[in-house]
Protein backbone atom coordinates (compact mmCIF):
# COMPACT_ATOMS: atom_id res chain seq x y z
CA UNK A 1 0.00 0.00 0.00
CA UNK A 2 1.00 3.64 -0.34
CA UNK A 3 2.13 4.94 3.07
CA UNK A 4 0.47 8.01 4.47
CA UNK A 5 2.68 11.10 4.41
CA UNK A 6 0.29 13.97 5.20
CA UNK A 7 0.46 13.65 8.98
CA UNK A 8 -0.02 16.71 11.16
CA UNK A 9 3.02 17.80 13.21
CA UNK A 10 3.53 15.82 16.40
CA UNK A 11 2.33 17.69 19.49
CA UNK A 12 2.91 15.02 22.14
CA UNK A 13 5.55 12.34 22.72
CA UNK A 14 4.52 9.40 24.90
CA UNK A 15 7.27 7.18 26.28
CA UNK A 16 7.55 3.64 27.51
CA UNK A 17 10.44 3.16 29.97
CA UNK A 18 11.86 -0.36 30.36
CA UNK A 19 14.20 -1.24 27.52
CA UNK A 20 13.55 2.10 25.85
CA UNK A 21 14.80 4.77 28.26
CA UNK A 22 16.59 2.49 30.74
CA UNK A 23 18.51 -0.78 30.33
CA UNK A 24 16.15 -2.46 32.80
CA UNK A 25 15.18 -5.19 30.33
CA UNK A 26 18.74 -6.51 30.53
CA UNK A 27 18.44 -6.46 34.31
CA UNK A 28 15.23 -8.49 34.09
CA UNK A 29 17.10 -11.06 31.99
CA UNK A 30 19.91 -11.32 34.55
CA UNK A 31 17.46 -11.84 37.42
CA UNK A 32 15.40 -14.39 35.51
CA UNK A 33 18.35 -16.41 34.26
CA UNK A 34 19.97 -16.39 37.71
CA UNK A 35 16.89 -18.08 39.15
CA UNK A 36 16.42 -20.42 36.21
CA UNK A 37 20.00 -21.63 36.59
CA UNK A 38 19.49 -22.08 40.33
CA UNK A 39 16.63 -24.48 39.62
CA UNK A 40 18.33 -26.27 36.72
CA UNK A 41 16.21 -24.72 34.01
CA UNK A 42 17.52 -23.37 30.67
CA UNK A 43 18.06 -19.62 30.12
CA UNK A 44 15.07 -17.57 29.02
CA UNK A 45 15.06 -17.48 25.19
CA UNK A 46 14.18 -14.27 23.39
CA UNK A 47 11.26 -16.04 21.72
CA UNK A 48 9.62 -16.12 25.17
CA UNK A 49 11.03 -12.84 26.48
CA UNK A 50 9.55 -11.08 23.45
CA UNK A 51 6.11 -12.13 24.68
CA UNK A 52 6.76 -10.82 28.20
CA UNK A 53 8.07 -7.36 27.34
CA UNK A 54 5.76 -4.44 27.87
CA UNK A 55 2.98 -6.51 29.40
CA UNK A 56 1.52 -6.03 32.89
CA UNK A 57 3.06 -8.31 35.51
CA UNK A 58 0.01 -10.58 35.77
CA UNK A 59 -0.22 -11.46 32.09
CA UNK A 60 3.57 -11.72 31.72
CA UNK A 61 3.66 -14.13 34.67
CA UNK A 62 1.14 -16.44 33.04
CA UNK A 63 3.30 -16.71 29.94
CA UNK A 64 6.54 -17.13 31.88
CA UNK A 65 5.37 -19.78 34.33
CA UNK A 66 3.66 -21.68 31.56
CA UNK A 67 7.05 -21.97 29.86
CA UNK A 68 9.45 -22.26 32.82
CA UNK A 69 8.07 -25.43 34.46
CA UNK A 70 9.83 -24.58 37.72
CA UNK A 71 10.02 -27.03 40.65
CA UNK A 72 8.98 -24.28 43.09
CA UNK A 73 5.76 -22.39 43.67
CA UNK A 74 5.05 -19.11 41.95
CA UNK A 75 5.01 -17.43 45.33
CA UNK A 76 8.53 -18.61 46.16
CA UNK A 77 9.85 -17.63 42.75
CA UNK A 78 8.33 -14.15 42.98
CA UNK A 79 9.73 -13.66 46.49
CA UNK A 80 13.25 -14.55 45.34
CA UNK A 81 12.85 -12.52 42.16
CA UNK A 82 11.72 -9.39 44.01
CA UNK A 83 14.76 -9.51 46.28
CA UNK A 84 17.14 -9.72 43.33
CA UNK A 85 15.31 -7.05 41.35
CA UNK A 86 15.42 -4.47 44.11
CA UNK A 87 19.20 -4.64 44.21
CA UNK A 88 19.87 -4.91 40.50
CA UNK A 89 17.44 -2.19 39.45
CA UNK A 90 19.49 0.32 41.42
CA UNK A 91 22.14 -0.08 38.71
CA UNK A 92 19.86 0.80 35.77
CA UNK A 93 21.37 3.23 33.28
CA UNK A 94 19.90 5.34 30.45
CA UNK A 95 20.22 3.82 26.99
CA UNK A 96 22.15 5.59 24.19
CA UNK A 97 20.65 8.88 23.08
CA UNK A 98 18.09 9.07 25.88
CA UNK A 99 19.59 11.93 27.89
CA UNK A 100 20.01 14.17 24.86
CA UNK A 101 16.59 13.31 23.45
CA UNK A 102 14.71 14.10 26.67
CA UNK A 103 16.72 17.26 27.25
CA UNK A 104 15.93 18.52 23.76
CA UNK A 105 12.26 17.60 23.97
CA UNK A 106 11.97 19.53 27.23
CA UNK A 107 12.07 22.78 25.27
CA UNK A 108 10.79 21.54 21.90
CA UNK A 109 7.91 22.95 19.87
CA UNK A 110 5.50 21.54 17.36
CA UNK A 111 5.91 22.89 13.85
CA UNK A 112 3.17 25.36 13.03
CA UNK A 113 0.52 24.60 10.47
CA UNK A 114 -0.02 27.26 7.85
CA UNK A 115 -1.50 30.37 9.45
CA UNK A 116 -0.86 29.15 13.01
CA UNK A 117 1.80 29.72 15.66
CA UNK A 118 4.27 27.12 16.88
CA UNK A 119 3.04 25.24 19.94
CA UNK A 120 4.80 23.68 22.89
CA UNK A 121 5.53 19.97 22.58
CA UNK A 122 4.11 17.88 25.43
CA UNK A 123 5.54 14.67 26.86
CA UNK A 124 4.23 11.92 29.13
CA UNK A 125 5.38 8.55 30.48
CA UNK A 126 3.37 5.34 30.06
CA UNK A 127 5.12 2.36 31.66
CA UNK A 128 3.89 -1.04 32.83
CA UNK A 129 6.25 -0.80 35.82
CA UNK A 130 4.50 -0.46 39.17
CA UNK A 131 5.37 2.41 41.51
CA UNK A 132 7.78 0.45 43.70
CA UNK A 133 9.78 -0.84 40.75
CA UNK A 134 9.63 2.53 38.97
CA UNK A 135 11.17 4.16 42.03
CA UNK A 136 13.91 1.52 42.23
CA UNK A 137 14.84 1.89 38.56
CA UNK A 138 14.86 5.68 38.55
CA UNK A 139 16.30 6.39 42.01
CA UNK A 140 19.67 7.38 40.53
CA UNK A 141 18.13 9.26 37.61
CA UNK A 142 15.67 11.60 39.31
CA UNK A 143 16.81 14.63 37.32
CA UNK A 144 16.44 12.77 34.02
CA UNK A 145 12.84 11.80 34.78
CA UNK A 146 11.86 15.26 36.00
CA UNK A 147 11.14 16.01 32.34
CA UNK A 148 7.88 14.10 32.93
CA UNK A 149 5.52 16.16 35.12
CA UNK A 150 4.17 14.03 38.01
CA UNK A 151 0.60 14.25 36.71
CA UNK A 152 1.79 12.98 33.32
CA UNK A 153 3.41 9.79 34.59
CA UNK A 154 1.14 6.78 34.09
CA UNK A 155 2.46 3.67 35.84
CA UNK A 156 1.38 0.06 35.60
CA UNK A 157 -0.51 0.06 38.90
CA UNK A 158 -2.43 3.24 38.12
CA UNK A 159 -6.00 2.55 39.37
CA UNK A 160 -7.39 4.26 36.28
CA UNK A 161 -6.20 1.28 34.22
CA UNK A 162 -8.63 -1.57 34.71
CA UNK A 163 -7.65 -5.20 35.40
CA UNK A 164 -6.39 -6.89 32.26
CA UNK A 165 -6.23 -3.57 30.40
CA UNK A 166 -2.46 -3.20 30.14
CA UNK A 167 -0.49 -3.32 26.89
CA UNK A 168 -1.26 -4.38 24.15
CA UNK A 169 -4.67 -2.82 24.94
CA UNK A 170 -4.63 0.92 24.15
CA UNK A 171 -5.71 2.14 27.59
CA UNK A 172 -2.34 3.25 28.98
CA UNK A 173 -1.55 5.48 26.00
CA UNK A 174 -5.08 6.84 25.87
CA UNK A 175 -4.75 7.70 29.55
CA UNK A 176 -1.35 9.33 28.98
CA UNK A 177 -2.94 11.53 26.32
CA UNK A 178 -5.78 12.36 28.71
CA UNK A 179 -3.28 13.56 31.33
CA UNK A 180 -1.88 15.96 28.75
CA UNK A 181 -5.22 17.27 27.55
CA UNK A 182 -6.47 17.75 31.10
CA UNK A 183 -3.51 20.01 31.90
CA UNK A 184 -3.17 22.19 28.81
CA UNK A 185 -2.94 25.94 29.11
CA UNK A 186 -6.18 27.83 28.72
CA UNK A 187 -7.17 28.18 25.09
CA UNK A 188 -4.84 25.43 23.83
CA UNK A 189 -6.57 23.02 21.49
CA UNK A 190 -6.71 19.40 22.77
CA UNK A 191 -4.07 17.09 21.32
CA UNK A 192 -5.49 14.47 18.97
CA UNK A 193 -4.35 10.84 18.89
CA UNK A 194 -2.80 11.23 15.44
CA UNK A 195 -0.72 14.12 16.81
CA UNK A 196 0.94 11.75 19.31
CA UNK A 197 4.18 9.84 18.83
CA UNK A 198 4.59 6.73 20.97
CA UNK A 199 8.15 5.56 21.74
CA UNK A 200 8.32 1.81 22.36
CA UNK A 201 10.75 -1.08 22.44
CA UNK A 202 8.27 -3.93 22.92
CA UNK A 203 5.94 -5.53 20.40
CA UNK A 204 2.87 -5.38 22.71
CA UNK A 205 3.72 -1.73 23.36
CA UNK A 206 3.77 -0.91 19.65
CA UNK A 207 0.40 -2.60 19.28
CA UNK A 208 -0.94 -0.59 22.22
CA UNK A 209 0.10 2.66 20.57
CA UNK A 210 -1.33 1.69 17.21
CA UNK A 211 -4.63 0.63 18.77
CA UNK A 212 -4.75 4.05 20.42
CA UNK A 213 -4.63 5.62 16.95
CA UNK A 214 -1.14 7.06 17.39
CA UNK A 215 2.06 7.08 15.39
CA UNK A 216 4.80 4.85 16.79
CA UNK A 217 8.58 4.64 16.88
CA UNK A 218 9.86 1.11 17.55
CA UNK A 219 13.36 1.01 19.06
CA UNK A 220 13.84 -2.61 20.19
CA UNK A 221 16.65 -4.53 21.82
CA UNK A 222 18.81 -6.07 19.05
CA UNK A 223 17.87 -9.58 20.18
CA UNK A 224 14.18 -8.72 20.02
CA UNK A 225 14.65 -7.29 16.54
CA UNK A 226 16.22 -10.61 15.51
CA UNK A 227 13.08 -12.44 16.62
CA UNK A 228 11.02 -10.47 14.11
CA UNK A 229 13.29 -10.41 11.07
CA UNK A 230 11.02 -10.35 8.05
CA UNK A 231 8.03 -9.33 10.17
CA UNK A 232 9.06 -5.76 10.95
CA UNK A 233 6.13 -4.40 8.96
CA UNK A 234 3.68 -6.41 11.05
CA UNK A 235 5.25 -5.11 14.25
CA UNK A 236 4.97 -1.49 13.10
CA UNK A 237 1.36 -2.07 12.11
CA UNK A 238 0.59 -3.66 15.48
CA UNK A 239 -0.69 -6.70 13.63
CA UNK A 240 1.58 -9.54 14.79
CA UNK A 241 -1.28 -11.18 16.66
CA UNK A 242 0.79 -11.33 19.85
CA UNK A 243 -1.94 -9.49 21.73
CA UNK A 244 -4.59 -12.14 21.25
CA UNK A 245 -8.22 -11.21 20.68
CA UNK A 246 -8.55 -7.44 21.10
CA UNK A 247 -10.88 -6.76 18.20
CA UNK A 248 -12.96 -4.30 20.19
CA UNK A 249 -9.95 -2.26 21.29
CA UNK A 250 -9.22 0.06 18.41
CA UNK A 251 -7.94 -0.90 15.01
CA UNK A 252 -4.43 -2.09 14.30
CA UNK A 253 -2.72 -0.79 11.20
CA UNK A 254 -1.76 -2.21 7.85
CA UNK A 255 1.76 -3.18 6.82
CA UNK A 256 3.40 -0.22 5.13
CA UNK A 257 0.76 2.34 6.18
CA UNK A 258 3.38 4.88 7.30
CA UNK A 259 2.22 5.17 10.92
CA UNK A 260 5.20 3.31 12.38
CA UNK A 261 8.97 3.67 12.06
CA UNK A 262 11.87 1.49 13.19
CA UNK A 263 14.92 3.10 14.78
CA UNK A 264 18.01 1.18 15.82
CA UNK A 265 18.77 3.75 18.52
CA UNK A 266 17.38 6.98 19.95
CA UNK A 267 20.61 8.74 19.07
CA UNK A 268 20.39 11.50 16.44
CA UNK A 269 16.61 11.45 16.48
CA UNK A 270 15.04 12.68 13.19
CA UNK A 271 12.88 15.48 14.61
CA UNK A 272 12.07 17.00 11.23
CA UNK A 273 10.31 13.81 10.12
CA UNK A 274 7.72 14.41 12.83
CA UNK A 275 7.40 18.18 12.63
CA UNK A 276 9.26 18.69 15.91
CA UNK A 277 11.44 21.79 16.36
CA UNK A 278 14.27 21.68 18.89
CA UNK A 279 16.43 24.67 17.88
Amino acid sequence: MIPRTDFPPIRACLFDMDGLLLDSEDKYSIVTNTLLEKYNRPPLPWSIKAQLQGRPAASASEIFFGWANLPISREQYIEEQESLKRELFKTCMPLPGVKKLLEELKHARSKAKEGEKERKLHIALATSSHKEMYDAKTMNHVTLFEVFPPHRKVLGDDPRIGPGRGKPAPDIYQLALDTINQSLEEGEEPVKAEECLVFEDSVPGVESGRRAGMRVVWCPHPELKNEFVGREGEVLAGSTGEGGNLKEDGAVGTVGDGWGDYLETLENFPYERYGILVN
Side-chain angles (χ1 to χ4, degrees):
M1 70 175 301
I2 299 175
R4 179 178 172 181
T5 58
D6 62 340
F7 291 103
I10 290 298
R11 295 180 57 205
C13 292
L14 313 180
F15 287 87
D16 174 51
M17 182 179 73
D18 294 304
L20 178 86
L21 300 180
L22 298 177
D23 63 355
S24 44
E25 284 294 350
D26 288 332
K27 305 299 190 279
Y28 275 114
S29 294
I30 293 171
V31 168
T32 301
N33 288 330
T34 296
L35 291 175
L36 288 172
E37 181 179 15
K38 177 180 178 180
Y39 293 105
N40 299 311
R41 300 296 297 144
L44 182 69
W46 267 94
S47 59
I48 299 298
K49 185 173 174 64
Q51 300 175 49
L52 309 180
Q53 284 186 298
R55 295 181 187 273
S59 56
S61 292
E62 287 298 320
I63 296 170
F64 173 74
F65 287 111
W67 167 83
N69 194 26
L70 288 163
I72 57 174
S73 67
R74 292 192 183 192
E75 291 74 19
Q76 182 180 341
Y77 177 87
I78 291 172
E79 182 179 345
E80 294 185 37
Q81 181 194 51
E82 291 300 307
S83 177
L84 290 173
K85 284 196 301 188
R86 286 191 189 93
E87 290 305 310
L88 201 55
F89 282 161
K90 295 176 183 178
T91 68
C92 284
M93 294 296 293
L95 286 163
V98 167
K99 288 184 177 180
K100 182 180 180 184
L101 175 64
L102 294 183
E103 182 62 30
E104 291 179 335
L105 289 179
K106 187 190 304 184
H107 305 291
R109 293 101 56 216
S110 177
K111 186 176 180 180
K113 298 179 184 178
E114 187 174 349
E116 297 182 357
K117 295 181 179 180
E118 295 175 0
R119 292 180 283 194
K120 177 183 177 181
L121 186 88
H122 301 281
I123 60 176
L125 186 71
T127 174
S128 296
S129 285
H130 288 199
K131 178 70 165 57
E132 182 182 3
M133 289 296 105
Y134 169 83
D135 288 342
K137 295 166 187 173
T138 62
M139 64 182 298
N140 294 318
H141 308 289
V142 174
T143 301
L144 179 67
F145 281 84
E146 284 178 348
V147 69
F148 301 104
H151 60 283
R152 293 182 179 178
K153 292 179 182 177
V154 182
L155 308 185
D157 53 352
D158 192 306
R160 294 172 292 182
I161 301 174
R165 299 300 305 170
K167 301 172 186 177
D171 301 39
I172 193 167
Y173 283 115
Q174 292 170 336
L175 179 56
L177 175 56
D178 286 344
T179 68
I180 289 174
N181 282 332
Q182 291 166 5
S183 55
L184 295 174
E185 294 182 3
E186 185 176 353
E188 188 172 358
E189 182 182 346
V191 179
K192 300 174 183 176
E194 69 171 357
E195 296 175 317
C196 294
L197 183 62
V198 167
F199 288 75
E200 267 287 353
D201 70 302
S202 75
V203 174
V206 171
E207 181 174 341
S208 176
R210 290 304 312 266
R211 287 185 179 277
M214 301 171 181
R215 297 172 71 184
V216 178
V217 165
W218 182 42
C219 187
H221 191 288
E223 294 294 338
L224 176 62
K225 174 65 163 53
N226 289 341
E227 288 295 319
F228 287 91
V229 169
R231 299 183 64 197
E232 293 90 345
E234 294 175 44
V235 174
L236 295 174
S239 61
T240 63
E242 302 291 328
N245 185 15
L246 291 172
K247 292 182 180 179
E248 73 282 7
D249 290 311
V252 297
T254 304
V255 173
D257 60 13
W259 286 71
D261 294 303
Y262 162 74
L263 291 180
E264 184 176 347
T265 172
L266 293 180
E267 297 171 292
N268 303 312
F269 187 76
Y271 297 107
E272 183 61 30
R273 182 186 303 175
Y274 303 101
I276 298 173
L277 306 174
V278 296
N279 297 322

